[in-house]
Amino acid sequence: MLLASTACEAGKSDGPDDSKATNRPGATSSAPSEGRGSAEPDGASSSKPSGSSSSTAGNGGDDEAKADGTAACAEADLSFATANQDEAGDQVRHLLLTVTNAGNKTCTVYGYPRVQLGADAQAPVALIKESDPKALARLAPGDEANAALLVSGGQRDTYEAHTISVVLQGRKHGSTASRPIDFPMPGVDTLTVDDGGRVTYWMTPSGLALDFIMSL
């Protein structure tokens, strides 16, 4: 199939189910996060890293997290994909980040991806707070969680980014469950980024995640 400075909020919309899942060019890879992998038939590349740093962390859904004994998904248990949601020839602005449980145990992807676009980014991409699904993204083996990423919102301080780096959160609020993970680039070598970038919480329906950014 087939990553906050100030957490500015974007407009909220009622998201449908997974019917809006990506059908545009994307990237996935099956190599460790330090490198790129082979492309799949749909033009996406997915990656499965070999390393893992598993502490427990989380953001949204804290009450459920306290009652839930599911471990945070470790980097080594996941594969990663990035899919472009814009038409061919358009500037790449709307992305779907996907993690798939490639392990053999159920785990949970907590909170939202802490995304840094490019090595020179001054701060992580701001969170769309209204995107909180109020439910944890609990993944059985083979299941996916998605987060929508707006890389530029027509704001100031434009720069070029050649990497999408994501830190996973763990079960305890404020902690982390991974080192920075390099997600595959979405079929382009360079993204034009500005300080209007936004990202959603992790959630299982891709269409719901995308509803929060596609009108921006």
Side-chain angles (χ1 to χ4, degrees), residues 12-180:
K12 181 177 181 181
S13 60
D14 294 327
D17 59 13
D18 216 0
S19 61
K20 291 179 62 179
T22 177
N23 57 7
R24 297 189 175 87
T28 64
S29 83
S30 50
S33 60
E34 291 82 3
R36 296 278 188 271
S38 59
E40 296 182 348
D42 62 358
S45 68
S46 44
S47 85
K48 181 163 190 326
S50 57
S52 147
S53 167
S54 139
S55 68
T56 48
N59 261 350
D62 285 339
D63 291 339
E64 186 176 351
K66 291 175 183 176
D68 173 59
T70 306
C73 294
E75 178 185 348
D77 296 328
L78 300 172
S79 61
F80 309 94
T82 307
N84 176 21
Q85 302 301 304
D86 296 302
E87 298 293 342
D90 289 350
Q91 179 182 334
V92 177
R93 298 178 57 239
H94 305 88
L95 301 179
L96 185 70
L97 306 179
T98 301
V99 294
T100 303
N101 184 352
N104 56 15
K105 295 181 179 179
T106 297
C107 62
T108 298
V109 182
Y110 288 97
Y112 61 95
R114 293 177 181 166
V115 180
Q116 178 167 309
L117 295 172
D120 298 327
Q122 299 300 304
V125 174
L127 171 67
I128 301 175
K129 292 182 179 179
E130 293 157 323
S131 68
D132 189 345
K134 308 300 183 186
L136 295 173
R138 188 177 292 108
L139 307 181
D143 286 350
E144 299 175 348
N146 302 278
L149 172 63
L150 180 72
V151 301
S152 62
Q155 305 297 320
R156 296 177 296 178
D157 299 327
T158 300
Y159 65 96
E160 291 186 344
H162 303 284
T163 58
I164 302 170
S165 178
V166 171
V167 173
L168 301 175
Q169 299 187 54
R171 188 151 57 100
K172 291 182 66 175
H173 182 77
S175 64
T176 59
S178 78
R179 62 185 176 84

